Amino acid sequence: MNESIPSKRLPPKTGEQRLWEVVAELPGEQILAMSQGRGQAAESLAQARPESTVCCWFLDAFVTELAREHCAATPSLLIECREDWPEVEADLVLLPLSKRGEAELSRDLIQSAYQRLVPGGTLAVSVDYPEDHWLIEQLRIYDRRVSIRTFDDAVVYSLRKRAPIKRPRDLSCELAFRDRDRLIRLVTRPGVFSHRELDNGARQLLDAIDVHPGARLLDIGCGSGAVAIGAACRDPSASVLAVDSNARAVGCTRRGVELNELQNVTVELNGTGIYGEPERFDMALGNPPYFGDFQIAERFIHAGLRSLRPGGRLVLVHKQPQWYANYLTQWFDEVEVFPSRRYHIASGIKPA
C-alpha cells in the first residue's frame, strides 16, 4: 500500500502525514477524522477505501470551505463543520494534534473521539513533537495499553476502546460579569476564545460604546458572545447580529442568549465576511486576533466596511495602535485610536 498522501495544492502538516502512514495499516469502515490542514488524510482514506464512510470534521467554517474546495475531486468524502464530532458510531478515529495546541481543547477532543468509538474501535492520535510526554498520559487515562510509533518529526499513538468512559468530564464553563446594572451570563467551551474568563479586550470594547434605541449592531467574531450579549442588554429595542466562523463559539453565544433571555440577538455561523445585505448596520464591533500578520484584522475591517451604512461606525479593540491608525484612514473618516487600559480602541466612520 502506498503510504504517502497525494499532493493536491497543499501538502499535509507533519503530524497528519505521519498519522496517515500509521492508519493506512489499520482496519476501519466507519471513519471520523479531524485535520490540521485541508482534510488530506481523510481524503486519502476515502480514495483508498471507497467502500468505507469517511467524514472529516472541522470547527471553523472558513477552513471547512477551503477543505471542500481542496477535496472536491473526492465527493465520497463527507466534510462537516459543527460544534462536536458527528454523532456516528465509528470504528476508526483520526486526531492530529499540535504541540502548540490548547491543552484543554486536546483533552476535550480526545474524550469525545473516544466516546464516538464502537467497542473494539481504534483511536489514532498524532502530535508533531517526537519527545512528547503529556499526550500519552492523557491517552492512558482511557487505556494503559497504547501503541506508539515514533518518527523523527512526530509520534503517533493508537489505542482500542475496551470500555465506555465511566464519568465523562464536562469541560464547558458558565460564568458571569456585570455590565452597568445588569449581571450577564456566558457559556464557554474549549476551543472558544477566552475559555473560562471574560476577555479584557471584550470588557474594554463594551466600555467604549453606547447603544442607542433602535440601533442595528454587528459583532464580528463574537466568540462566547460577551460583546453581543452585553450590547443587546443595554437596550431591548436595539438588534444585534453576532457572527463567528467557529461553530463552538456560535453554540456558546446561542446558549448565552438563552441564559440571558434575550429576544434581540441573532447568531450566525459565517466565515465569509458577508452578512446579509450590505450597508445594513449602524455599528460594527470586533476584537480581531492578535496574530496572522493582520490578515484577519483586515478581514474584520472590510467586513465592517461592507456591512455598515454610510455614517455607520466601526469600533475595534486591539494592541497595535500604529497599524490600525494607518490602515483605517485608508477606508474610514474621523479615525480615532486611543488607549483603554492595556488595549487600544480604534474607531472610524464609513464615508458616504
Side-chain angles (χ1 to χ4, degrees):
M1 180 178 293
N2 184 357
E3 294 184 350
S4 64
I5 299 181
S7 175
K8 185 180 179 183
R9 292 190 295 278
L10 285 177
K13 297 290 181 68
T14 297
E16 190 166 336
Q17 169 66 39
R18 299 308 186 189
L19 185 60
W20 160 250
E21 294 174 14
V22 172
V23 301
E25 305 168 359
L26 299 176
E29 295 183 358
Q30 184 72 51
I31 302 169
L32 291 177
M34 286 195 79
S35 176
Q36 296 173 317
R38 302 291 183 263
Q40 292 95 330
E43 180 186 35
S44 294
L45 278 172
Q47 293 172 348
R49 306 181 189 185
E51 73 288 351
S52 298
T53 299
V54 184
C55 178
C56 190
W57 164 55
F58 294 89
L59 279 170
D60 188 273
F62 181 76
V63 178
T64 301
E65 292 308 312
L66 294 179
R68 285 175 176 151
E69 179 183 353
H70 190 277
C71 301
T74 311
S76 61
L77 174 63
L78 305 175
I79 298 178
E80 294 191 16
C81 178
R82 48 185 292 156
E83 282 189 72
D84 292 287
W85 293 97
E87 294 282 352
V88 300
E89 294 184 335
D91 50 15
L92 178 61
V93 179
L94 286 64
L95 177 56
L97 298 174
S98 170
K99 65 179 179 181
R100 295 179 296 276
E102 177 191 335
E104 196 161 15
L105 176 59
S106 296
R107 292 190 187 99
D108 184 282
L109 295 174
I110 291 167
Q111 175 177 266
S112 53
Y114 190 85
Q115 289 175 305
R116 295 295 186 273
L117 286 171
V118 299
T122 300
L123 171 62
V125 186
S126 68
V127 63
D128 53 353
Y129 183 55
E131 299 178 7
D132 166 71
H133 297 288
W134 180 86
L135 179 56
I136 191 170
E137 291 306 315
Q138 304 305 310
L139 295 172
R140 283 173 173 160
I141 294 172
Y142 303 94
D143 195 317
R144 301 299 298 180
R145 292 163 286 189
V146 178
S147 297
I148 305 172
R149 286 277 298 274
T150 303
F151 301 86
D152 291 340
D153 49 10
V155 59
V156 179
Y157 303 114
S158 59
L159 69 154
R160 295 180 62 194
K161 182 172 183 177
R162 304 179 191 275
I165 303 173
K166 293 182 179 179
R167 289 184 290 275
R169 296 181 60 192
D170 181 3
L171 297 176
S172 64
C173 174
E174 186 176 323
L175 58 107
F177 72 97
R178 188 167 293 281
D179 182 62
R180 299 185 179 178
D181 60 348
R182 176 154 179 173
L183 189 68
I184 296 173
R185 299 164 66 188
L186 301 178
V187 175
T188 70
R189 293 187 65 189
V192 177
F193 175 65
S194 196
H195 178 40
R196 297 194 183 279
E197 62 183 0
L198 174 67
D199 173 60
N200 285 327
R203 174 77 274 173
Q204 301 313 306
L205 189 56
L206 275 173
D207 288 346
I209 65 169
D210 290 315
V211 178
H212 300 291
R216 296 164 297 178
L217 281 69
L218 170 65
D219 183 7
I220 306 171
C222 61
S224 62
V227 172
I229 293 170
C233 288
R234 297 263 183 95
D235 192 319
S237 71
S239 62
V240 182
L241 174 62
V243 297
D244 205 295
S245 65
N246 184 302
R248 282 197 173 178
V250 168
C252 287
T253 301
R254 285 176 175 153
R255 293 180 185 91
V257 170
E258 293 172 0
L259 284 174
N260 292 281
E261 300 180 342
L262 294 172
Q263 304 297 320
N264 58 338
V265 182
T266 302
V267 189
E268 182 178 304
L269 177 65
N270 190 325
T272 68
I274 300 173
Y275 315 122
E277 293 298 318
E279 301 189 344
R280 171 184 171 190
F281 295 95
D282 302 302
M283 185 182 295
L285 310 168
N287 183 3
Y290 312 134
F291 58 84
D293 195 26
F294 299 108
Q295 292 182 18
I296 300 177
E298 288 181 7
R299 290 186 194 134
F300 274 50
I301 290 168
H302 288 281
L305 187 66
R306 180 188 185 278
S307 300
L308 287 167
R309 63 169 174 78
R313 181 177 292 276
L314 175 71
V315 186
L316 304 174
V317 61
H318 59 90
K319 289 185 176 181
Q320 297 95 354
Q322 193 58 56
W323 183 88
Y324 280 87
N326 294 338
Y327 194 80
L328 284 178
T329 52
Q330 301 176 44
W331 308 99
F332 289 84
D333 292 338
E334 302 179 33
V335 171
E336 295 180 282
V337 179
F338 55 89
S340 180
R341 295 196 178 181
R342 294 181 294 130
Y343 297 82
H344 282 75
I345 300 294
S347 74
I349 301 296
K350 180 176 176 175

